[in-house]
């Protein structure tokens, strides 16, 4: 196994910055904090970074290289509730205690066949026959980094199980049993999928194994927060308890409130967002007990500090970040909007101000992570607000009844059947609307900070008049739009970029001044988890052309997966469509053509031409640069003797091939300036020939995706990740 330098070193620069601020800022900001405060801030920042470094999980000092990629037998204990993956396998966290009769101690991300893992629970001892592997880093810059995600949970290896056998089925009793009891009761009363949806709305999608197709619809229309146990759920529950106990003494109200907060936090798995809301809810009930007014902003800051002391890694949790930003938005922005809308009835103004404020403060972070905007997000939240409140409260009541008597809980939940059906029908209706999800592109860290700097202007709400507030609001919205729209417009008008993905066969995305072309896709998995997230991060909502080099069944399924999300205007393939699956592609694109030798596709500064069909050669001309994509193994020493294009033709040439099946004579003839091999290593003779022509060499198996940009030149995924790690 390689060395993963996951834990960051303490940032001594925080001390230096604190000292500099203490010496300089009080001279120019006389009304601001004193020197001692700035110095204290530097010390706290240093201690926080040191604590984060200490608490960050580190890989155990175990050499597993002899077992990696080989069939092995593993014994261990199941640590987490099994969950269904998109590939219809069961995944869980396994504490490995033995590999091939040798004792070890390491946690592994384990996936197993669905039928063999059915009935698995935390605490089971299992024997797994499968292969160990290193979790992959992000294959392209800016997308989900699976290795870092697992490392934050203390898992540094993966285990793909072929067979799984229960050695002991004595599961350790835990809250998972209580959650399953509730979900079973809801399903009996509401059927599938209504019961599972209500269970997820009550307990959160982390506690309930909700089908991915339903989950994706909620995300697509901007209702993902409904399925994530959060402050909204805690507020409803605590409000219900305080309303029911309002005629009782304050001590009883306090005890009931604290009890329900602890119970709900436990049922939802102590997620950061629920813990945040529960701690702030505790402040509310304590304030009622002591007849003290709660400083919500101070309570929010104290809650964040306490939670990060418990687990500093939560600061990297997206749910934690969104929860605090949404609450901050409500505290800062709702009063301003209510004052601006003083002519609107208070109930309507509040109903509008709350979702808009939460949306404004979470939207930049969602753009930073996903680059996707749900245009109907605010509308669908307003339309479904009453249903969400009714279903969530009704689900909570049913859940707590089911804890005592599951049959009665099922009867109570059955009342929610038709409202749930109506709710899901509304969501289905919004997902069918055109433009229900628009990719606007991921924003940079600088854009993110500027957007939140703009929103921070609302802090001036108490120091300026109503006219100035309206002007400030208009300026803030205009500046926020400009920060996102102008860079996107600039990239669409002037950016030229080529991305070579780390796949077995050439898979290349070409972007040129708003035109987007995808060459090849190897399978559905790459399309779903690599290509679509990449295009969303780039703000691409349509492909101008798709070129299919591989006619294997899995490649065709990959194209169909892309067409489910991105329309393709023109589609080109080698040969005529012969299978029923290929005809499905033809039915979904506007133009479907076969690609013949020397047939060219031409845009403003981009041209693509097929030079050979067997073996396949595709030529791309872009920005005075020539790209040659070779597929197949027929590139022998005599190949270039009958091919007129086998030369640099006076242009810098970039060569892309699998890393095998290419003769040295072909390289000497083409003389590429850059060579990109879809492999981890190269034959010494090929490498020597490339060095002889001073060719810059990239290996996607080593460097990840390779990207060329008209402004930055060539870059690799590994370099981008190193820079991002350094920045954070």
């Amino acid at each position: 196994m390689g060395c993963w330098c996951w834990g960051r070193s303490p940032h001594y620069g925080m001390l230096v910055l604190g000292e500099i601020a203490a010496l300089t800022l009080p001279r120019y900001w006389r009304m601001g904090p004193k020197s001692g405060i700035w110095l204290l801030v530097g010390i706290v920042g240093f201690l926080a970074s040191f604590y984060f470094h200490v608490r960050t999980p580190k890989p155990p000092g175990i050499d597993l290289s002899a077992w990696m990629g080989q069939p092995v037998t593993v014994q261990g204990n199941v640590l987490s509730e099994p969950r269904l993956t998109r590939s219809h396998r069961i995944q869980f966290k396994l504490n490995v205690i033995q590999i091939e009769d040798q004792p070890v101690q390491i946690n592994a991300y384990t996936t197993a066949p669905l039928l063999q893992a059915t009935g698995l629970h935390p605490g089971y001892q299992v024997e797994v026959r499968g292969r160990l592997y290193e979790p992959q880093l992000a294959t392209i810059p800016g997308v989900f980094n699976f290795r870092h995600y697992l490392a934050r949970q203390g898992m540094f290896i993966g285990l793909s199980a072929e067979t799984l056998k229960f050695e002991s089925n004595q599961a350790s009793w835990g809250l998972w049993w209580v959650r399953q009891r509730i979900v079973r009761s809801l399903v009996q009363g509401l059927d599938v999928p209504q019961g599972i949806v209500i269970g997820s709305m009550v307990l959160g999608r982390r506690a309930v194994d909700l089908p991915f197709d339903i989950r994706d619809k909620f995300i697509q229309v901007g209702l993902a927060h409904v399925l994530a146990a959060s402050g909204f759920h805690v507020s409803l529950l605590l409000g219900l308890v305080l309303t029911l106990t309002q005629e009782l003494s304050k001590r009883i109200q306090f005890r009931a409130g604290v009890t329900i907060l602890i119970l709900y936090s436990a049922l939802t798995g102590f997620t950061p967002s629920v813990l945040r809301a529960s701690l702030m809810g505790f402040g509310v009930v304590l304030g009622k007990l002591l007849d003290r007014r709660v400083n919500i902003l101070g309570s929010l800051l104290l809650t964040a500090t306490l939670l990060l002391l418990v687990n500093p890694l939560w600061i990297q949790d997206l749910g934690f970040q969104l929860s605090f930003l949404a609450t901050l938005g409500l505290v800062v922005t709702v009063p301003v909007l209510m004052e601006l809308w003083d002519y609107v009835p208070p109930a309507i103004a509040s109903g509008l101000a709350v979702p808009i404020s939460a949306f404004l403060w979470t939207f930049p972070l969602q753009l930073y992570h996903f680059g996707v905007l749900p245009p109907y997000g605010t509308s669908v939240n307003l339309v479904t607000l009453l249903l969400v409140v009714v279903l969530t409260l009704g689900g909570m009541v049913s859940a707590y009844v089911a804890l005592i008597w599951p049959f009665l809980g099922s009867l109570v939940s059955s009342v929610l059947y038709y409202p749930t059906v109506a709710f899901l029908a509304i969501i289905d209706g919004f997902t069918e609307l055109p433009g229900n999800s628009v990719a606007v592109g991921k924003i940079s860290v600088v854009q993110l900070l500027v957007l939140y700097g703009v929103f921070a202007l609302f802090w001036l709400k108490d120091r300026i008049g109503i006219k100035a507030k309206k002007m400030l609001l208009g300026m803030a919205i205009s500046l926020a739009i400009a920060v996102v729209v102008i860079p996107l417009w600039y990239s669409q008008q002037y950016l030229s970029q080529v991305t070579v993905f780390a796949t077995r066969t050439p898979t290349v995305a070409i972007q040129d001044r708003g035109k987007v072309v995808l060459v090849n896709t190897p399978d559905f998995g790459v399309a779903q988890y690599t290509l679509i997230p990449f295009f969303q991060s780039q703000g691409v909502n349509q492909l101008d052309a798709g070129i299919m080099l591989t006619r294997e069944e899995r490649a065709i399924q990959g194209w169909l997966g892309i067409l489910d999300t991105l329309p393709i205007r023109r589609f080109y393939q080698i040969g005529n469509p012969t299978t029923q699956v290929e005809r499905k592609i033809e039915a979904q694109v506007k133009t479907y053509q076969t690609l013949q030798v020397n047939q060219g596709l031409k845009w403003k500064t981009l041209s693509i031409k097929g030079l050979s069909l067997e073996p396949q050669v595709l030529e791309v001309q872009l920005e005075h640069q020539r790209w040659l994509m070779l597929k197949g193994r027929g590139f022998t020493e005599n190949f270039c003797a009958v091919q007129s294009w086998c030369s640099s033709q006076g242009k810098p040439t970039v060569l892309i091939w699998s890393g095998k099946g290419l003769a040295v004579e072909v390289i000497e003839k083409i003389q590429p300036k850059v060579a990109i091999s879809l492999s981890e290593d190269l034959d010494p003779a090929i490498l020597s020939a490339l060095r002889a022509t001073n060719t810059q060499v990239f290996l996607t198996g080593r460097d990840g995706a390779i990207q060329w940009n008209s402004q930055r030149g060539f870059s690799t995924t590994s370099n981008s990740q190193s820079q991002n790690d350094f920045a954070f």
Side-chain angles (χ1 to χ4, degrees):
M1 294 178 63
C3 175
W4 297 336
C5 303
W6 179 250
R8 305 288 183 265
S9 299
H11 293 288
Y12 294 95
M14 296 295 295
L15 290 174
V16 176
L17 289 176
E19 292 177 359
I20 294 174
L23 293 174
T24 57
L25 290 183
R27 296 182 182 180
Y28 304 100
W29 188 10
R30 298 186 182 279
M31 300 297 294
K34 304 301 180 183
S35 298
I37 299 297
W38 289 113
L39 186 59
L40 181 61
V41 168
I43 294 173
V44 171
F46 167 75
L47 292 176
S49 66
F50 180 79
Y51 183 58
F52 182 85
H53 171 72
V54 171
R55 291 292 303 275
T56 298
K58 310 290 192 304
I62 303 174
D63 183 12
L64 302 178
S65 57
W67 293 311
M68 301 302 288
Q70 304 296 324
V72 293
T73 300
V74 173
Q75 281 83 33
N77 301 312
V78 178
L79 297 181
S80 66
E81 294 181 58
R83 288 286 178 262
L84 188 66
T85 68
R86 288 186 184 270
S87 55
H88 301 288
R89 288 170 64 86
I90 295 294
Q91 63 91 1
F92 54 92
K93 186 176 183 178
L94 181 69
N95 175 232
V96 179
I97 59 177
Q98 185 172 293
I99 302 177
E100 295 291 351
D101 298 328
Q102 293 194 27
V104 297
Q105 194 62 240
I106 190 171
N107 294 331
Y109 172 83
T110 306
T111 59
L114 175 61
L115 294 178
Q116 295 187 30
T118 301
L120 196 64
H121 295 299
Y124 276 26
Q125 294 180 0
V126 295
E127 179 182 279
V128 178
R129 182 69 179 174
R131 296 176 184 270
L132 296 172
Y133 62 92
E134 288 189 70
Q136 289 187 345
L137 288 167
T139 55
I140 55 175
V143 300
F144 179 67
N145 194 317
F146 187 54
R147 182 184 293 185
H148 286 185
Y149 169 76
L150 293 182
R152 289 201 300 269
Q153 303 178 57
M155 292 184 283
F156 297 94
I157 61 169
L159 174 59
S160 179
E162 298 171 1
T163 61
L164 184 146
K165 182 172 63 176
F166 296 176
E167 290 191 335
S168 168
N169 58 1
Q170 297 297 318
S172 57
W173 189 92
L175 291 168
W176 63 267
W177 181 86
V178 179
R179 287 192 283 267
Q180 286 192 356
R181 180 185 177 97
I182 292 173
V183 173
R184 281 197 299 266
S185 174
L186 292 173
V187 169
Q188 288 175 1
L190 292 169
D191 208 349
V192 177
Q194 293 82 214
I196 301 177
V197 170
I198 296 299
S200 184
M201 291 177 66
V202 172
L203 301 174
R205 64 174 181 263
R206 293 188 179 182
V208 179
D209 208 359
L210 188 68
F212 283 100
D213 58 338
I214 298 177
R215 186 185 308 181
D216 291 342
K217 288 180 179 179
F218 275 80
I219 295 173
Q220 190 174 355
V221 300
L223 285 175
H225 61 280
V226 174
L227 301 178
S230 62
F232 170 75
H233 299 72
V234 174
S235 299
L236 284 179
L237 187 59
L238 185 60
L240 177 63
V241 170
L242 293 179
T243 300
L244 294 176
T245 59
Q246 61 183 345
E247 301 298 330
L248 303 177
S249 68
K250 292 182 179 179
R251 288 186 177 275
I252 294 178
Q253 282 187 310
F254 175 77
R255 291 169 182 169
V258 171
T259 300
I260 206 70
L261 290 174
I262 294 174
L263 181 59
Y264 187 69
S265 298
L267 285 177
T268 54
F270 297 104
T271 60
S273 57
V274 171
L275 286 175
R276 189 276 309 162
S278 297
L279 285 175
M280 295 188 69
F282 173 78
V284 171
V285 295
L286 182 61
K288 289 179 67 67
L289 177 65
L290 301 177
D291 285 327
R292 298 282 298 273
R293 184 177 179 181
V294 178
N295 184 329
I296 298 181
L297 196 59
S299 175
L300 180 66
L301 181 61
L302 177 61
T303 300
T305 303
L306 291 175
L307 289 180
L308 292 178
L309 284 174
V310 173
N311 186 353
L313 296 180
W314 278 340
I315 199 170
Q316 298 176 327
D317 184 272
L318 182 58
F320 179 90
Q321 298 167 3
L322 291 174
S323 177
F324 274 89
L325 285 171
T327 306
L328 181 61
L330 298 181
V331 174
V332 174
T333 311
V334 167
V336 178
L337 296 179
M338 292 292 290
E339 187 176 358
L340 292 175
W341 296 337
D342 56 353
Y343 54 87
V344 179
I348 298 177
S350 176
L352 292 172
V354 169
I356 289 175
S357 300
F359 171 77
L360 284 175
W361 281 83
T362 56
F363 175 60
L365 190 62
Q366 293 184 58
L367 277 186
Y368 175 75
H369 281 283
F370 308 115
V372 178
L373 168 68
Y376 307 119
T378 303
S379 301
V380 72
N381 273 275
L382 292 175
V383 170
T384 60
L385 179 60
L386 181 60
L387 274 174
V388 169
V389 172
V390 171
L391 293 177
T392 304
L393 281 176
M396 287 177 173
V397 173
S398 303
Y400 285 107
V401 173
L403 286 177
I404 303 170
W405 188 5
F407 176 74
L408 183 59
S410 298
L411 290 179
V412 174
S413 66
S414 63
V415 179
L416 303 175
Y417 178 79
Y418 289 107
T420 307
V421 171
F423 180 52
L424 294 177
I426 292 173
I427 293 174
D428 287 336
F430 274 98
T431 58
E432 296 298 326
L433 292 176
N436 55 67
S437 180
V438 178
V440 297
K442 288 188 178 182
I443 61 176
S444 66
V445 175
V446 174
Q447 289 173 291
L448 181 72
L449 296 177
V450 169
L451 284 175
Y452 281 118
V454 170
F455 295 160
L457 294 175
F458 286 106
W459 288 102
L460 300 174
K461 64 182 186 297
D462 297 327
R463 302 183 183 181
I464 57 178
I466 188 67
K467 291 185 178 180
K469 287 179 182 178
K470 291 182 179 180
M471 184 181 298
L472 178 63
L473 179 62
M475 292 174 57
I477 294 174
S478 301
L479 182 57
I481 293 174
V483 167
V484 176
V485 172
I486 291 178
L488 178 63
W489 171 84
Y490 179 84
S491 65
Q492 293 288 333
Q493 294 296 318
Y494 300 103
L495 176 68
S496 292
Q497 183 170 278
V498 178
T499 305
V500 182
F501 298 94
T503 53
R504 297 181 301 274
T505 58
T507 305
V508 181
I510 305 166
Q511 299 163 261
D512 182 51
R513 295 167 173 81
K515 300 296 182 182
V516 183
V517 179
L518 174 62
V519 179
N520 210 35
T521 176
D523 53 52
F524 181 83
V526 171
Q528 190 76 25
Y529 303 118
T530 300
L531 299 180
I532 291 176
F534 169 77
F535 287 125
Q536 289 177 340
S537 71
Q538 298 292 305
V540 174
N541 293 287
Q542 176 181 265
L543 299 181
D544 292 276
I547 302 175
M548 182 166 66
L549 300 181
T550 302
R551 297 182 63 189
E552 298 175 359
E553 182 71 16
R554 58 185 182 183
I556 297 171
Q557 292 295 337
W559 284 109
L560 291 174
I562 289 176
L563 283 166
D564 287 340
T565 305
L566 294 173
I568 301 176
R569 295 185 63 187
R570 291 192 283 176
F571 194 87
Y572 301 87
Q573 72 151 74
I574 298 175
N576 296 316
T578 55
T579 69
Q580 185 177 359
V581 180
E582 289 177 84
R583 293 193 181 97
K584 289 182 180 179
I585 297 178
E586 185 176 8
Q588 295 187 48
V589 298
K590 296 180 180 180
T591 303
Y592 191 103
Q593 297 179 7
T594 58
L595 187 66
Q596 305 297 336
V597 175
N598 292 325
Q599 178 182 355
L601 314 177
K602 179 70 176 177
W603 288 274
K604 292 180 180 179
T605 59
L606 170 65
S607 65
I608 302 176
K609 182 187 297 185
L611 302 180
S612 173
L613 298 184
E614 190 59 43
Q616 297 171 19
V617 180
L618 199 68
E619 178 189 64
V620 177
Q621 301 270 2
L622 177 64
E623 292 279 339
H624 309 292
Q625 202 163 221
R626 182 171 180 252
W627 298 69
L628 291 177
M629 304 176 202
L630 313 182
K631 181 181 179 296
R633 293 174 175 259
F635 301 98
T636 63
E637 61 274 9
N638 298 322
F639 182 79
C640 282
V642 294
Q643 302 291 342
S644 59
W645 55 264
C646 268
S647 67
S648 64
Q649 299 184 355
K651 294 183 178 180
T653 300
V654 181
L655 182 64
I656 304 172
W657 89 108
S658 66
K660 299 179 180 179
L662 182 64
V664 172
E665 289 79 5
V666 177
I667 293 176
E668 293 173 344
K669 184 70 174 178
I670 296 175
Q671 293 190 342
K673 182 179 180 181
V674 176
I676 301 175
S677 170
L678 309 177
S679 61
E680 296 182 359
D681 51 28
L682 281 177
D683 182 90
I686 297 293
L687 189 58
S688 177
L690 291 171
R691 287 173 176 171
T693 57
N694 295 319
T695 302
Q696 186 178 8
V697 179
F698 294 103
L699 306 176
T700 60
R702 177 195 65 193
D703 304 319
I706 311 300
Q707 195 169 76
W708 172 84
N709 186 285
S710 56
Q711 298 175 350
R712 299 187 302 269
F714 282 92
S715 62
T716 67
T717 301
S718 56
N719 287 339
S720 299
Q721 288 169 343
S722 298
Q723 292 170 2
N724 290 337
D725 289 347
F726 177 77
F728 285 95

